[in-house]
Coordinates of all heavy atoms in Angstrom, one line a residue:
M1 N -4.2 -9.6 4.4 CA -4.6 -8.3 4.1 C -5.1 -7.7 5.4 O -5.9 -8.3 6.1 CB -5.7 -8.4 3.0 CG -6.2 -7.0 2.6 SD -7.6 -7.1 1.4 CE -6.7 -7.7 0.0
P2 N -4.7 -6.4 5.6 CA -5.3 -5.7 6.8 C -6.8 -5.7 6.8 O -7.4 -5.5 5.7 CB -4.6 -4.3 6.7 CG -3.4 -4.5 5.9 CD -3.8 -5.6 4.9
L3 N -7.4 -5.8 7.9 CA -8.8 -5.9 8.0 C -9.5 -4.6 7.5 O -10.5 -4.7 6.8 CB -9.3 -6.1 9.5 CG -10.7 -6.3 9.7 CD1 -11.3 -7.5 8.9 CD2 -11.0 -6.5 11.2
H4 N -8.9 -3.5 7.7 CA -9.5 -2.2 7.2 C -9.5 -2.2 5.7 O -10.4 -1.6 5.0 CB -8.9 -1.0 7.8 CG -7.4 -0.8 7.5 ND1 -6.4 -1.5 8.2 CD2 -6.8 -0.1 6.6 CE1 -5.3 -1.2 7.8 NE2 -5.4 -0.4 6.7
T5 N -8.5 -2.8 5.0 CA -8.4 -2.9 3.6 C -9.6 -3.7 3.1 O -10.2 -3.4 2.1 CB -7.1 -3.4 3.1 OG1 -6.0 -2.6 3.6 CG2 -7.0 -3.4 1.6
L6 N -9.8 -4.9 3.7 CA -10.9 -5.7 3.3 C -12.2 -5.1 3.5 O -13.1 -5.2 2.6 CB -10.8 -7.0 4.1 CG -9.8 -8.0 3.8 CD1 -9.8 -9.2 4.8 CD2 -10.0 -8.6 2.3
Y7 N -12.4 -4.3 4.6 CA -13.6 -3.6 4.8 C -13.9 -2.6 3.7 O -15.0 -2.6 3.2 CB -13.5 -2.9 6.2 CG -14.8 -2.1 6.5 CD1 -15.9 -2.7 6.9 CD2 -14.7 -0.7 6.5 CE1 -17.1 -2.0 7.2 CE2 -15.8 0.0 6.8 CZ -17.0 -0.6 7.1 OH -18.1 0.1 7.4
I8 N -12.9 -1.8 3.4 CA -13.1 -0.8 2.4 C -13.3 -1.4 1.0 O -14.2 -1.0 0.2 CB -12.0 0.2 2.4 CG1 -11.9 1.0 3.7 CG2 -12.0 1.2 1.2 CD1 -10.7 1.8 3.9
L9 N -12.6 -2.5 0.7 CA -12.7 -3.2 -0.5 C -14.2 -3.7 -0.7 O -14.8 -3.6 -1.7 CB -11.8 -4.4 -0.6 CG -11.8 -5.3 -1.8 CD1 -11.4 -4.6 -3.0 CD2 -10.9 -6.5 -1.6
N10 N -14.7 -4.3 0.4 CA -16.1 -4.8 0.4 C -17.1 -3.6 0.2 O -18.1 -3.8 -0.6 CB -16.4 -5.5 1.7 CG -17.8 -6.2 1.6 OD1 -18.0 -6.9 0.6 ND2 -18.6 -6.0 2.6
L11 N -16.9 -2.5 0.8 CA -17.8 -1.3 0.7 C -17.8 -0.8 -0.8 O -18.8 -0.4 -1.3 CB -17.4 -0.2 1.6 CG -17.6 -0.3 3.0 CD1 -17.1 0.9 3.8 CD2 -19.1 -0.4 3.3
L12 N -16.7 -0.9 -1.5 CA -16.5 -0.3 -2.8 C -16.6 -1.4 -3.9 O -16.3 -1.1 -5.1 CB -15.3 0.5 -2.9 CG -15.2 1.7 -1.9 CD1 -13.8 2.3 -1.9 CD2 -16.3 2.7 -2.2
K13 N -17.0 -2.6 -3.6 CA -16.9 -3.7 -4.6 C -17.7 -3.4 -5.8 O -17.4 -4.0 -6.9 CB -17.2 -5.0 -4.0 CG -18.7 -5.1 -3.5 CD -19.0 -6.4 -2.8 CE -20.4 -6.4 -2.3 NZ -20.7 -7.6 -1.5
D14 N -18.8 -2.6 -5.8 CA -19.6 -2.4 -6.9 C -19.3 -1.1 -7.6 O -20.1 -0.6 -8.4 CB -21.1 -2.4 -6.5 CG -21.5 -3.8 -6.0 OD1 -21.1 -4.8 -6.5 OD2 -22.3 -3.8 -5.0
T15 N -18.1 -0.5 -7.4 CA -17.7 0.7 -8.0 C -16.4 0.4 -8.8 O -15.9 -0.7 -8.9 CB -17.3 1.8 -6.9 OG1 -16.1 1.4 -6.3 CG2 -18.4 1.9 -5.9
L16 N -16.0 1.4 -9.5 CA -14.8 1.3 -10.3 C -13.5 1.7 -9.5 O -12.4 1.7 -10.0 CB -14.8 2.2 -11.5 CG -15.9 1.9 -12.5 CD1 -16.0 2.9 -13.6 CD2 -15.7 0.5 -13.1
I17 N -13.7 1.9 -8.2 CA -12.6 2.3 -7.3 C -11.8 1.1 -6.9 O -12.4 0.1 -6.5 CB -13.1 3.1 -6.1 CG1 -13.8 4.3 -6.5 CG2 -11.9 3.4 -5.1 CD1 -14.5 5.1 -5.4
K18 N -10.5 1.1 -7.1 CA -9.6 0.0 -6.7 C -9.1 0.2 -5.3 O -8.8 1.4 -4.9 CB -8.4 -0.1 -7.6 CG -8.7 -0.4 -9.0 CD -7.5 -0.4 -9.9 CE -7.8 -0.6 -11.3 NZ -6.7 -0.5 -12.2
V19 N -9.1 -0.8 -4.5 CA -8.6 -0.8 -3.1 C -7.5 -1.8 -3.0 O -7.6 -3.0 -3.2 CB -9.7 -1.1 -2.1 CG1 -9.2 -1.1 -0.7 CG2 -10.9 -0.2 -2.3
N20 N -6.3 -1.3 -2.6 CA -5.1 -2.1 -2.4 C -4.3 -1.6 -1.2 O -4.5 -0.5 -0.7 CB -4.2 -2.0 -3.7 CG -4.8 -2.7 -4.9 OD1 -5.1 -3.8 -4.8 ND2 -5.0 -1.9 -6.0
A21 N -3.4 -2.4 -0.8 CA -2.5 -2.1 0.3 C -1.1 -2.0 -0.3 O -0.8 -2.7 -1.2 CB -2.6 -3.1 1.4
A22 N -0.3 -1.2 0.3 CA 1.1 -1.0 -0.2 C 2.1 -1.1 0.9 O 1.9 -0.6 2.0 CB 1.2 0.3 -1.0
D23 N 3.3 -1.7 0.6 CA 4.4 -1.7 1.5 C 5.5 -0.7 0.9 O 6.2 -1.1 0.0 CB 5.0 -3.1 1.6 CG 6.2 -3.2 2.5 OD1 6.6 -2.1 3.1 OD2 6.8 -4.3 2.6
P24 N 5.6 0.5 1.5 CA 6.5 1.4 0.9 C 8.0 1.2 1.3 O 8.9 1.9 0.9 CB 6.0 2.8 1.5 CG 5.4 2.4 2.8 CD 4.8 1.0 2.6
G25 N 8.2 0.2 2.2 CA 9.6 0.0 2.7 C 9.9 1.0 3.8 O 9.1 1.7 4.3
F26 N 11.2 1.0 4.2 CA 11.7 1.9 5.3 C 11.9 3.3 4.7 O 12.9 3.7 4.2 CB 13.0 1.3 5.9 CG 13.4 2.0 7.1 CD1 12.5 2.5 8.1 CD2 14.8 2.3 7.3 CE1 12.9 3.1 9.2 CE2 15.2 2.9 8.5 CZ 14.3 3.3 9.4
T27 N 10.8 4.1 4.8 CA 10.7 5.4 4.2 C 11.0 6.5 5.2 O 10.5 6.5 6.3 CB 9.3 5.6 3.5 OG1 9.1 4.5 2.6 CG2 9.2 6.9 2.8
A28 N 11.8 7.4 4.8 CA 12.2 8.6 5.6 C 11.0 9.5 5.8 O 10.6 10.2 4.9 CB 13.4 9.3 5.1
T29 N 10.5 9.5 7.0 CA 9.4 10.4 7.4 C 9.6 10.9 8.8 O 10.5 10.5 9.5 CB 8.0 9.7 7.4 OG1 8.0 8.6 8.4 CG2 7.7 9.1 6.0
D30 N 8.8 11.9 9.2 CA 8.9 12.4 10.5 C 8.7 11.4 11.6 O 9.2 11.5 12.7 CB 8.1 13.6 10.7 CG 6.6 13.4 10.6 OD1 6.2 12.3 10.0 OD2 5.8 14.3 11.0
I31 N 7.9 10.3 11.4 CA 7.6 9.3 12.4 C 8.9 8.6 12.8 O 9.0 8.0 13.9 CB 6.5 8.4 11.9 CG1 5.9 7.7 13.1 CG2 7.0 7.4 10.9 CD1 4.6 7.0 12.8
N32 N 9.9 8.5 11.9 CA 11.2 7.8 12.2 C 12.4 8.8 12.2 O 13.5 8.3 12.0 CB 11.4 6.6 11.3 CG 11.5 6.9 9.9 OD1 11.7 8.1 9.5 ND2 11.4 5.9 9.0
Q33 N 12.1 10.0 12.4 CA 13.1 11.1 12.4 C 13.9 11.1 11.1 O 15.1 11.3 11.1 CB 14.0 11.0 13.6 CG 13.4 11.3 15.0 CD 12.5 10.2 15.5 OE1 12.8 9.0 15.5 NE2 11.3 10.6 16.0
Y34 N 13.3 10.7 10.0 CA 13.9 10.8 8.7 C 15.1 9.8 8.6 O 16.0 10.1 7.8 CB 14.2 12.2 8.2 CG 13.0 13.0 8.2 CD1 12.6 13.8 9.2 CD2 12.2 13.0 7.0 CE1 11.4 14.5 9.2 CE2 11.0 13.7 7.0 CZ 10.6 14.5 8.1 OH 9.5 15.2 8.0
Q35 N 15.0 8.7 9.3 CA 16.1 7.7 9.2 C 15.9 6.6 8.2 O 16.8 5.8 8.0 CB 16.3 7.1 10.6 CG 16.8 8.1 11.6 CD 17.0 7.5 13.0 OE1 17.3 6.3 13.1 NE2 16.8 8.2 14.0
G36 N 14.8 6.6 7.5 CA 14.5 5.6 6.5 C 15.5 5.8 5.3 O 16.0 6.9 5.0
Y37 N 15.7 4.8 4.6 CA 16.7 4.8 3.4 C 16.0 5.1 2.1 O 16.6 5.2 1.1 CB 17.5 3.6 3.3 CG 16.7 2.3 3.2 CD1 16.2 1.8 2.0 CD2 16.3 1.6 4.3 CE1 15.5 0.7 1.9 CE2 15.6 0.4 4.2 CZ 15.2 0.0 3.0 OH 14.4 -1.1 2.9
R38 N 14.6 5.3 2.1 CA 13.9 5.6 0.9 C 13.2 7.0 1.1 O 12.8 7.3 2.2 CB 12.8 4.5 0.7 CG 13.4 3.2 0.5 CD 12.3 2.2 0.4 NE 11.4 2.5 -0.8 CZ 11.3 1.8 -1.8 NH1 11.9 0.6 -1.9 NH2 10.5 2.1 -2.8
T39 N 13.0 7.7 0.0 CA 12.3 8.9 0.0 C 10.8 8.6 -0.1 O 10.4 7.5 -0.4 CB 12.6 9.8 -1.2 OG1 12.2 9.1 -2.4 CG2 14.1 10.1 -1.3
V40 N 10.0 9.6 0.3 CA 8.5 9.4 0.2 C 8.1 9.1 -1.3 O 7.3 8.2 -1.5 CB 7.8 10.6 0.7 CG1 6.3 10.6 0.4 CG2 8.1 10.8 2.2
E41 N 8.8 9.7 -2.2 CA 8.5 9.5 -3.6 C 8.8 8.0 -4.0 O 8.1 7.4 -4.8 CB 9.3 10.5 -4.5 CG 8.8 11.9 -4.4 CD 9.3 12.6 -3.2 OE1 10.3 12.1 -2.5 OE2 8.8 13.7 -2.8
Q42 N 9.9 7.5 -3.5 CA 10.3 6.1 -3.8 C 9.3 5.2 -3.2 O 8.9 4.1 -3.7 CB 11.7 5.8 -3.3 CG 12.8 6.5 -4.1 CD 14.1 6.3 -3.4 OE1 14.2 6.4 -2.2 NE2 15.2 6.1 -4.2
G43 N 8.8 5.5 -2.0 CA 7.8 4.6 -1.3 C 6.5 4.6 -2.0 O 5.8 3.7 -2.0
A44 N 6.2 5.7 -2.7 CA 4.9 5.8 -3.4 C 4.8 5.0 -4.6 O 3.8 4.8 -5.2 CB 4.6 7.3 -3.7
I45 N 6.0 4.4 -5.1 CA 6.0 3.6 -6.3 C 5.2 2.3 -6.0 O 4.7 1.7 -6.9 CB 7.4 3.3 -6.7 CG1 8.1 4.6 -7.2 CG2 7.5 2.2 -7.7 CD1 9.5 4.5 -7.5
A46 N 5.1 1.9 -4.7 CA 4.4 0.6 -4.4 C 2.9 0.8 -4.6 O 2.2 1.1 -3.6 CB 4.8 0.2 -3.0
T47 N 2.4 0.6 -5.8 CA 1.0 0.7 -6.0 C 0.5 -0.5 -6.8 O 1.2 -1.1 -7.5 CB 0.7 2.0 -6.8 OG1 1.4 1.9 -8.1 CG2 1.1 3.2 -6.1
G48 N -0.8 -0.7 -6.8 CA -1.4 -1.8 -7.5 C -1.7 -1.3 -9.0 O -1.8 -0.2 -9.2
N49 N -1.7 -2.3 -9.8 CA -1.9 -2.0 -11.2 C -2.9 -3.0 -11.8 O -2.5 -4.2 -12.0 CB -0.6 -1.9 -12.0 CG -0.8 -1.5 -13.4 OD1 -1.8 -1.0 -13.8 ND2 0.2 -1.7 -14.2
G50 N -4.1 -2.7 -12.1 CA -5.0 -3.6 -12.8 C -6.0 -4.2 -12.0 O -7.1 -4.6 -12.6
F51 N -5.8 -4.5 -10.8 CA -6.9 -5.2 -10.0 C -7.0 -4.6 -8.6 O -6.1 -3.9 -8.2 CB -6.7 -6.7 -10.0 CG -5.5 -7.2 -9.3 CD1 -5.6 -7.5 -7.9 CD2 -4.3 -7.3 -9.9 CE1 -4.4 -8.0 -7.3 CE2 -3.1 -7.8 -9.3 CZ -3.2 -8.1 -7.9
S52 N -8.0 -5.1 -7.9 CA -8.3 -4.6 -6.6 C -8.1 -5.7 -5.6 O -8.3 -6.9 -5.9 CB -9.7 -4.0 -6.5 OG -9.9 -3.2 -5.4
G53 N -7.7 -5.4 -4.4 CA -7.5 -6.4 -3.3 C -6.2 -7.0 -3.2 O -6.0 -8.1 -2.7
G54 N -5.1 -6.3 -3.6 CA -3.8 -6.8 -3.5 C -2.9 -6.1 -2.5 O -3.3 -5.0 -2.0
L55 N -1.8 -6.7 -2.3 CA -0.7 -6.0 -1.5 C 0.5 -5.9 -2.4 O 0.9 -6.9 -3.0 CB -0.4 -6.9 -0.2 CG 0.8 -6.5 0.6 CD1 0.6 -5.1 1.2 CD2 1.1 -7.5 1.7
F56 N 1.1 -4.7 -2.5 CA 2.1 -4.4 -3.4 C 3.3 -3.8 -2.8 O 3.2 -3.1 -1.8 CB 1.6 -3.5 -4.5 CG 0.5 -4.0 -5.3 CD1 -0.8 -3.9 -4.9 CD2 0.7 -4.7 -6.5 CE1 -1.8 -4.4 -5.6 CE2 -0.3 -5.2 -7.3 CZ -1.6 -5.1 -6.8
D57 N 4.5 -4.0 -3.4 CA 5.7 -3.2 -3.1 C 6.2 -2.8 -4.5 O 5.5 -3.0 -5.5 CB 6.7 -3.9 -2.2 CG 7.4 -5.0 -2.9 OD1 7.2 -5.3 -4.1 OD2 8.2 -5.7 -2.2
E58 N 7.4 -2.1 -4.5 CA 7.9 -1.7 -5.8 C 8.2 -2.8 -6.8 O 8.3 -2.5 -8.0 CB 9.1 -0.8 -5.7 CG 10.4 -1.5 -5.3 CD 10.6 -1.8 -3.8 OE1 9.7 -1.6 -3.0 OE2 11.7 -2.2 -3.5
N59 N 8.2 -4.0 -6.4 CA 8.5 -5.2 -7.2 C 7.3 -5.9 -7.7 O 7.3 -6.8 -8.5 CB 9.4 -6.2 -6.5 CG 10.8 -5.6 -6.2 OD1 11.4 -4.9 -7.0 ND2 11.2 -5.7 -5.0
G60 N 6.1 -5.5 -7.2 CA 4.9 -6.1 -7.7 C 4.1 -6.6 -6.5 O 4.1 -6.1 -5.4
V61 N 3.3 -7.7 -6.8 CA 2.4 -8.3 -5.8 C 3.1 -9.0 -4.8 O 4.1 -9.8 -5.0 CB 1.4 -9.2 -6.6 CG1 0.4 -9.9 -5.6 CG2 0.6 -8.5 -7.7
L62 N 2.7 -8.9 -3.5 CA 3.3 -9.6 -2.4 C 2.2 -10.6 -1.9 O 1.0 -10.4 -2.0 CB 3.6 -8.7 -1.2 CG 4.7 -7.6 -1.5 CD1 4.7 -6.6 -0.3 CD2 6.0 -8.3 -1.6
P63 N 2.7 -11.8 -1.4 CA 1.7 -12.7 -0.8 C 1.1 -12.2 0.5 O 1.8 -11.5 1.2 CB 2.6 -14.0 -0.6 CG 4.0 -13.4 -0.4 CD 4.1 -12.2 -1.2
W64 N -0.1 -12.6 0.8 CA -0.7 -12.2 2.0 C -0.3 -13.2 3.1 O -0.5 -14.1 3.4 CB -2.3 -12.2 1.9 CG -2.7 -11.1 1.1 CD1 -3.1 -11.1 -0.2 CD2 -2.8 -9.7 1.5 NE1 -3.4 -9.8 -0.6 CE2 -3.2 -9.0 0.4 CE3 -2.5 -9.1 2.7 CZ2 -3.4 -7.6 0.5 CZ3 -2.7 -7.7 2.7 CH2 -3.2 -7.0 1.6

């Protein structure tokens, strides 16, 4: 898990806020001159559901 994700997770551990990391895949954005094969909307599907402290892609939980 990226260190900044762990840091924020620790700061918010006593709240109802969930902190997760996501892998959106090769998403077409200005940083890669829109050469990615996924839209921003498709990349946004990679979200956590139900718990905090995970790494997700559109298929679910990824190993750290």
Side-chain angles (χ1 to χ4, degrees):
M1 177 183 294
L3 185 57
H4 61 277
T5 304
L6 286 173
Y7 177 75
I8 295 169
L9 178 64
N10 189 51
L11 285 176
L12 299 173
K13 67 182 174 187
D14 296 324
T15 71
L16 296 176
I17 299 171
K18 296 178 186 173
V19 179
N20 291 303
D23 176 2
F26 188 38
T27 303
T29 63
D30 59 345
I31 200 166
N32 62 15
Q33 291 77 44
Y34 299 94
Q35 295 182 29
Y37 55 87
R38 299 174 61 116
T39 66
V40 172
E41 293 78 13
Q42 289 170 320
I45 292 172
T47 60
N49 186 14
F51 66 92
S52 196
L55 172 62
F56 297 85
D57 69 6
E58 74 274 10
N59 298 313
V61 180
L62 296 171
W64 286 104

